């Protein structure tokens, strides 16, 4: 189901982040976010968690504008 798909995308993103491949991590976080947005309210903790993870990657890469978006 789509909820499991979002979880899998998020897990893949976390693995890429741990390996230091931030670009791939962001791509999978974006996929997870898109699926979650279809399923949940915009203020869901799950959405916020994904957004925080994406912001942390942007911040660590010095992309502070994207981290705040």
């Amino acid at each position: 189901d789509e909820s499991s798909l979002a979880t899998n995308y998020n897990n893949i993103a976390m693995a890429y982040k741990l390996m230091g491949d931030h670009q791939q991590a962001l791509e999978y976080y974006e996929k997870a976010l898109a699926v979650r947005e279809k399923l949940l309210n915009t203020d869901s903790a799950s959405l916020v968690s994904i957004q925080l993870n994406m912001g942390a990657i942007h911040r660590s890469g010095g992309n502070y504008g994207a981290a705040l978006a």
Side-chain angles (χ1 to χ4, degrees):
D1 67 28
E2 288 198 4
S3 180
S4 294
L5 179 61
T7 299
N8 289 337
Y9 282 152
N10 191 68
N11 291 341
I12 292 168
M14 290 190 309
Y16 275 119
K17 182 180 175 187
L18 289 172
M19 291 187 301
D21 190 340
H22 294 163
Q23 186 58 42
Q24 281 293 104
L26 283 173
E27 289 180 27
Y28 277 92
Y29 278 134
E30 288 170 6
K31 290 179 181 188
L33 187 62
V35 173
R36 291 277 188 217
E37 285 176 336
K38 290 193 310 189
L39 300 174
L40 303 170
N41 294 329
T42 57
D43 62 347
S44 165
S46 180
L47 290 178
V48 172
S49 176
I50 293 169
Q51 292 165 332
L52 286 172
N53 288 336
M54 292 173 73
I57 289 174
H58 286 299
R59 184 188 69 228
S60 71
N63 191 355
Y64 300 111
L68 294 172

